[in-house]
mmCIF file with all atom_site columns, all heavy atoms in Angstrom:
data_model
loop_
_atom_site.group_PDB
_atom_site.id
_atom_site.type_symbol
_atom_site.label_atom_id
_atom_site.label_alt_id
_atom_site.label_comp_id
_atom_site.label_asym_id
_atom_site.label_entity_id
_atom_site.label_seq_id
_atom_site.pdbx_PDB_ins_code
_atom_site.Cartn_x
_atom_site.Cartn_y
_atom_site.Cartn_z
_atom_site.occupancy
_atom_site.B_iso_or_equiv
_atom_site.pdbx_formal_charge
_atom_site.auth_seq_id
_atom_site.auth_comp_id
_atom_site.auth_asym_id
_atom_site.auth_atom_id
_atom_site.pdbx_PDB_model_num
ATOM 1   N N   . GLN A 1 143 ? -338.428 128.482 -265.999 1.00 0.00 ? 413 GLN A N   1
ATOM 2   C CA  . GLN A 1 143 ? -338.092 129.913 -266.259 1.00 0.00 ? 413 GLN A CA  1
ATOM 3   C C   . GLN A 1 143 ? -336.842 130.311 -265.541 1.00 0.00 ? 413 GLN A C   1
ATOM 4   O O   . GLN A 1 143 ? -336.073 131.129 -266.072 1.00 0.00 ? 413 GLN A O   1
ATOM 5   C CB  . GLN A 1 143 ? -339.292 130.761 -265.789 1.00 0.00 ? 413 GLN A CB  1
ATOM 6   C CG  . GLN A 1 143 ? -339.121 132.230 -266.122 1.00 0.00 ? 413 GLN A CG  1
ATOM 7   C CD  . GLN A 1 143 ? -340.376 133.038 -265.653 1.00 0.00 ? 413 GLN A CD  1
ATOM 8   O OE1 . GLN A 1 143 ? -341.318 132.495 -265.170 1.00 0.00 ? 413 GLN A OE1 1
ATOM 9   N NE2 . GLN A 1 143 ? -340.259 134.339 -265.899 1.00 0.00 ? 413 GLN A NE2 1
ATOM 10  N N   . ALA A 1 144 ? -336.585 129.821 -264.325 1.00 0.00 ? 414 ALA A N   1
ATOM 11  C CA  . ALA A 1 144 ? -335.359 130.147 -263.567 1.00 0.00 ? 414 ALA A CA  1
ATOM 12  C C   . ALA A 1 144 ? -334.144 129.675 -264.401 1.00 0.00 ? 414 ALA A C   1
ATOM 13  O O   . ALA A 1 144 ? -333.113 130.423 -264.459 1.00 0.00 ? 414 ALA A O   1
ATOM 14  C CB  . ALA A 1 144 ? -335.401 129.489 -262.182 1.00 0.00 ? 414 ALA A CB  1
ATOM 15  N N   . PHE A 1 145 ? -334.299 128.525 -264.965 1.00 0.00 ? 415 PHE A N   1
ATOM 16  C CA  . PHE A 1 145 ? -333.179 127.940 -265.828 1.00 0.00 ? 415 PHE A CA  1
ATOM 17  C C   . PHE A 1 145 ? -332.896 128.908 -267.048 1.00 0.00 ? 415 PHE A C   1
ATOM 18  O O   . PHE A 1 145 ? -331.790 129.226 -267.439 1.00 0.00 ? 415 PHE A O   1
ATOM 19  C CB  . PHE A 1 145 ? -333.475 126.603 -266.280 1.00 0.00 ? 415 PHE A CB  1
ATOM 20  C CG  . PHE A 1 145 ? -332.896 125.531 -265.407 1.00 0.00 ? 415 PHE A CG  1
ATOM 21  C CD1 . PHE A 1 145 ? -333.707 124.848 -264.505 1.00 0.00 ? 415 PHE A CD1 1
ATOM 22  C CD2 . PHE A 1 145 ? -331.536 125.122 -265.528 1.00 0.00 ? 415 PHE A CD2 1
ATOM 23  C CE1 . PHE A 1 145 ? -333.221 123.910 -263.667 1.00 0.00 ? 415 PHE A CE1 1
ATOM 24  C CE2 . PHE A 1 145 ? -331.039 124.109 -264.647 1.00 0.00 ? 415 PHE A CE2 1
ATOM 25  C CZ  . PHE A 1 145 ? -331.896 123.517 -263.747 1.00 0.00 ? 415 PHE A CZ  1
ATOM 26  N N   . ASP A 1 146 ? -333.942 129.346 -267.660 1.00 0.00 ? 416 ASP A N   1
ATOM 27  C CA  . ASP A 1 146 ? -333.901 130.177 -268.863 1.00 0.00 ? 416 ASP A CA  1
ATOM 28  C C   . ASP A 1 146 ? -333.211 131.533 -268.519 1.00 0.00 ? 416 ASP A C   1
ATOM 29  O O   . ASP A 1 146 ? -332.342 132.013 -269.235 1.00 0.00 ? 416 ASP A O   1
ATOM 30  C CB  . ASP A 1 146 ? -335.291 130.396 -269.388 1.00 0.00 ? 416 ASP A CB  1
ATOM 31  C CG  . ASP A 1 146 ? -335.187 131.187 -270.675 1.00 0.00 ? 416 ASP A CG  1
ATOM 32  O OD1 . ASP A 1 146 ? -334.850 130.671 -271.730 1.00 0.00 ? 416 ASP A OD1 1
ATOM 33  O OD2 . ASP A 1 146 ? -335.589 132.388 -270.676 1.00 0.00 ? 416 ASP A OD2 1
ATOM 34  N N   . LEU A 1 147 ? -333.587 132.144 -267.349 1.00 0.00 ? 417 LEU A N   1
ATOM 35  C CA  . LEU A 1 147 ? -333.006 133.425 -267.011 1.00 0.00 ? 417 LEU A CA  1
ATOM 36  C C   . LEU A 1 147 ? -331.574 133.223 -266.579 1.00 0.00 ? 417 LEU A C   1
ATOM 37  O O   . LEU A 1 147 ? -330.772 134.133 -266.927 1.00 0.00 ? 417 LEU A O   1
ATOM 38  C CB  . LEU A 1 147 ? -333.802 134.003 -265.800 1.00 0.00 ? 417 LEU A CB  1
ATOM 39  C CG  . LEU A 1 147 ? -335.235 134.515 -266.166 1.00 0.00 ? 417 LEU A CG  1
ATOM 40  C CD1 . LEU A 1 147 ? -335.965 134.831 -264.848 1.00 0.00 ? 417 LEU A CD1 1
ATOM 41  C CD2 . LEU A 1 147 ? -335.209 135.678 -267.067 1.00 0.00 ? 417 LEU A CD2 1
ATOM 42  N N   . ALA A 1 148 ? -331.284 132.129 -265.948 1.00 0.00 ? 418 ALA A N   1
ATOM 43  C CA  . ALA A 1 148 ? -329.875 131.917 -265.509 1.00 0.00 ? 418 ALA A CA  1
ATOM 44  C C   . ALA A 1 148 ? -328.978 131.687 -266.736 1.00 0.00 ? 418 ALA A C   1
ATOM 45  O O   . ALA A 1 148 ? -327.837 132.131 -266.763 1.00 0.00 ? 418 ALA A O   1
ATOM 46  C CB  . ALA A 1 148 ? -329.832 130.638 -264.621 1.00 0.00 ? 418 ALA A CB  1
ATOM 47  N N   . TYR A 1 149 ? -329.500 131.017 -267.773 1.00 0.00 ? 419 TYR A N   1
ATOM 48  C CA  . TYR A 1 149 ? -328.739 130.821 -269.020 1.00 0.00 ? 419 TYR A CA  1
ATOM 49  C C   . TYR A 1 149 ? -328.503 132.098 -269.746 1.00 0.00 ? 419 TYR A C   1
ATOM 50  O O   . TYR A 1 149 ? -327.379 132.383 -270.258 1.00 0.00 ? 419 TYR A O   1
ATOM 51  C CB  . TYR A 1 149 ? -329.448 129.777 -269.848 1.00 0.00 ? 419 TYR A CB  1
ATOM 52  C CG  . TYR A 1 149 ? -328.694 129.428 -271.128 1.00 0.00 ? 419 TYR A CG  1
ATOM 53  C CD1 . TYR A 1 149 ? -327.495 128.761 -271.159 1.00 0.00 ? 419 TYR A CD1 1
ATOM 54  C CD2 . TYR A 1 149 ? -329.220 129.913 -272.348 1.00 0.00 ? 419 TYR A CD2 1
ATOM 55  C CE1 . TYR A 1 149 ? -326.907 128.505 -272.347 1.00 0.00 ? 419 TYR A CE1 1
ATOM 56  C CE2 . TYR A 1 149 ? -328.583 129.681 -273.566 1.00 0.00 ? 419 TYR A CE2 1
ATOM 57  C CZ  . TYR A 1 149 ? -327.374 128.940 -273.582 1.00 0.00 ? 419 TYR A CZ  1
ATOM 58  O OH  . TYR A 1 149 ? -326.730 128.671 -274.721 1.00 0.00 ? 419 TYR A OH  1
ATOM 59  N N   . ARG A 1 150 ? -329.529 132.953 -269.836 1.00 0.00 ? 420 ARG A N   1
ATOM 60  C CA  . ARG A 1 150 ? -329.324 134.257 -270.448 1.00 0.00 ? 420 ARG A CA  1
ATOM 61  C C   . ARG A 1 150 ? -328.322 135.110 -269.723 1.00 0.00 ? 420 ARG A C   1
ATOM 62  O O   . ARG A 1 150 ? -327.465 135.803 -270.332 1.00 0.00 ? 420 ARG A O   1
ATOM 63  C CB  . ARG A 1 150 ? -330.689 134.957 -270.548 1.00 0.00 ? 420 ARG A CB  1
ATOM 64  C CG  . ARG A 1 150 ? -331.686 134.298 -271.512 1.00 0.00 ? 420 ARG A CG  1
ATOM 65  C CD  . ARG A 1 150 ? -332.956 135.090 -271.562 1.00 0.00 ? 420 ARG A CD  1
ATOM 66  N NE  . ARG A 1 150 ? -334.038 134.439 -272.433 1.00 0.00 ? 420 ARG A NE  1
ATOM 67  C CZ  . ARG A 1 150 ? -335.181 135.000 -272.642 1.00 0.00 ? 420 ARG A CZ  1
ATOM 68  N NH1 . ARG A 1 150 ? -335.581 136.114 -272.138 1.00 0.00 ? 420 ARG A NH1 1
ATOM 69  N NH2 . ARG A 1 150 ? -335.989 134.340 -273.442 1.00 0.00 ? 420 ARG A NH2 1
ATOM 70  N N   . LYS A 1 151 ? -328.424 135.083 -268.429 1.00 0.00 ? 421 LYS A N   1
ATOM 71  C CA  . LYS A 1 151 ? -327.409 135.836 -267.691 1.00 0.00 ? 421 LYS A CA  1
ATOM 72  C C   . LYS A 1 151 ? -326.043 135.357 -267.867 1.00 0.00 ? 421 LYS A C   1
ATOM 73  O O   . LYS A 1 151 ? -325.084 136.121 -267.864 1.00 0.00 ? 421 LYS A O   1
ATOM 74  C CB  . LYS A 1 151 ? -327.858 135.788 -266.160 1.00 0.00 ? 421 LYS A CB  1
ATOM 75  C CG  . LYS A 1 151 ? -327.260 136.879 -265.322 1.00 0.00 ? 421 LYS A CG  1
ATOM 76  C CD  . LYS A 1 151 ? -327.906 136.922 -263.969 1.00 0.00 ? 421 LYS A CD  1
ATOM 77  C CE  . LYS A 1 151 ? -327.378 138.128 -263.136 1.00 0.00 ? 421 LYS A CE  1
ATOM 78  N NZ  . LYS A 1 151 ? -327.963 138.202 -261.798 1.00 0.00 ? 421 LYS A NZ  1
ATOM 79  N N   . PHE A 1 152 ? -325.916 134.017 -268.033 1.00 0.00 ? 422 PHE A N   1
ATOM 80  C CA  . PHE A 1 152 ? -324.568 133.422 -268.301 1.00 0.00 ? 422 PHE A CA  1
ATOM 81  C C   . PHE A 1 152 ? -324.047 133.951 -269.616 1.00 0.00 ? 422 PHE A C   1
ATOM 82  O O   . PHE A 1 152 ? -322.838 134.271 -269.683 1.00 0.00 ? 422 PHE A O   1
ATOM 83  C CB  . PHE A 1 152 ? -324.755 131.934 -268.295 1.00 0.00 ? 422 PHE A CB  1
ATOM 84  C CG  . PHE A 1 152 ? -323.550 131.202 -268.799 1.00 0.00 ? 422 PHE A CG  1
ATOM 85  C CD1 . PHE A 1 152 ? -322.411 131.023 -268.026 1.00 0.00 ? 422 PHE A CD1 1
ATOM 86  C CD2 . PHE A 1 152 ? -323.520 130.613 -270.017 1.00 0.00 ? 422 PHE A CD2 1
ATOM 87  C CE1 . PHE A 1 152 ? -321.332 130.407 -268.461 1.00 0.00 ? 422 PHE A CE1 1
ATOM 88  C CE2 . PHE A 1 152 ? -322.382 129.964 -270.548 1.00 0.00 ? 422 PHE A CE2 1
ATOM 89  C CZ  . PHE A 1 152 ? -321.320 129.807 -269.783 1.00 0.00 ? 422 PHE A CZ  1
ATOM 90  N N   . LEU A 1 153 ? -324.870 133.991 -270.658 1.00 0.00 ? 423 LEU A N   1
ATOM 91  C CA  . LEU A 1 153 ? -324.391 134.428 -271.934 1.00 0.00 ? 423 LEU A CA  1
ATOM 92  C C   . LEU A 1 153 ? -324.032 135.982 -271.895 1.00 0.00 ? 423 LEU A C   1
ATOM 93  O O   . LEU A 1 153 ? -323.063 136.331 -272.503 1.00 0.00 ? 423 LEU A O   1
ATOM 94  C CB  . LEU A 1 153 ? -325.514 134.255 -272.993 1.00 0.00 ? 423 LEU A CB  1
ATOM 95  C CG  . LEU A 1 153 ? -325.886 132.767 -273.274 1.00 0.00 ? 423 LEU A CG  1
ATOM 96  C CD1 . LEU A 1 153 ? -326.941 132.667 -274.282 1.00 0.00 ? 423 LEU A CD1 1
ATOM 97  C CD2 . LEU A 1 153 ? -324.690 132.016 -273.794 1.00 0.00 ? 423 LEU A CD2 1
ATOM 98  N N   . GLU A 1 154 ? -324.791 136.707 -271.170 1.00 0.00 ? 424 GLU A N   1
ATOM 99  C CA  . GLU A 1 154 ? -324.508 138.201 -271.036 1.00 0.00 ? 424 GLU A CA  1
ATOM 100 C C   . GLU A 1 154 ? -323.233 138.478 -270.320 1.00 0.00 ? 424 GLU A C   1
ATOM 101 O O   . GLU A 1 154 ? -322.522 139.389 -270.665 1.00 0.00 ? 424 GLU A O   1
ATOM 102 C CB  . GLU A 1 154 ? -325.662 138.877 -270.413 1.00 0.00 ? 424 GLU A CB  1
ATOM 103 C CG  . GLU A 1 154 ? -327.004 138.860 -271.235 1.00 0.00 ? 424 GLU A CG  1
ATOM 104 C CD  . GLU A 1 154 ? -328.149 139.456 -270.421 1.00 0.00 ? 424 GLU A CD  1
ATOM 105 O OE1 . GLU A 1 154 ? -327.933 139.780 -269.227 1.00 0.00 ? 424 GLU A OE1 1
ATOM 106 O OE2 . GLU A 1 154 ? -329.277 139.496 -270.982 1.00 0.00 ? 424 GLU A OE2 1
ATOM 107 N N   . SER A 1 155 ? -322.880 137.665 -269.368 1.00 0.00 ? 425 SER A N   1
ATOM 108 C CA  . SER A 1 155 ? -321.740 137.946 -268.534 1.00 0.00 ? 425 SER A CA  1
ATOM 109 C C   . SER A 1 155 ? -320.481 137.233 -269.080 1.00 0.00 ? 425 SER A C   1
ATOM 110 O O   . SER A 1 155 ? -319.404 137.407 -268.502 1.00 0.00 ? 425 SER A O   1
ATOM 111 C CB  . SER A 1 155 ? -321.942 137.490 -267.058 1.00 0.00 ? 425 SER A CB  1
ATOM 112 O OG  . SER A 1 155 ? -322.203 136.029 -267.061 1.00 0.00 ? 425 SER A OG  1
#
Side-chain angles (χ1 to χ4, degrees):
Q413 184 180 359
F415 267 99
D416 184 75
L417 291 173
Y419 180 71
R420 291 182 182 181
K421 199 169 184 180
F422 169 77
L423 296 178
E424 293 173 358
S425 62

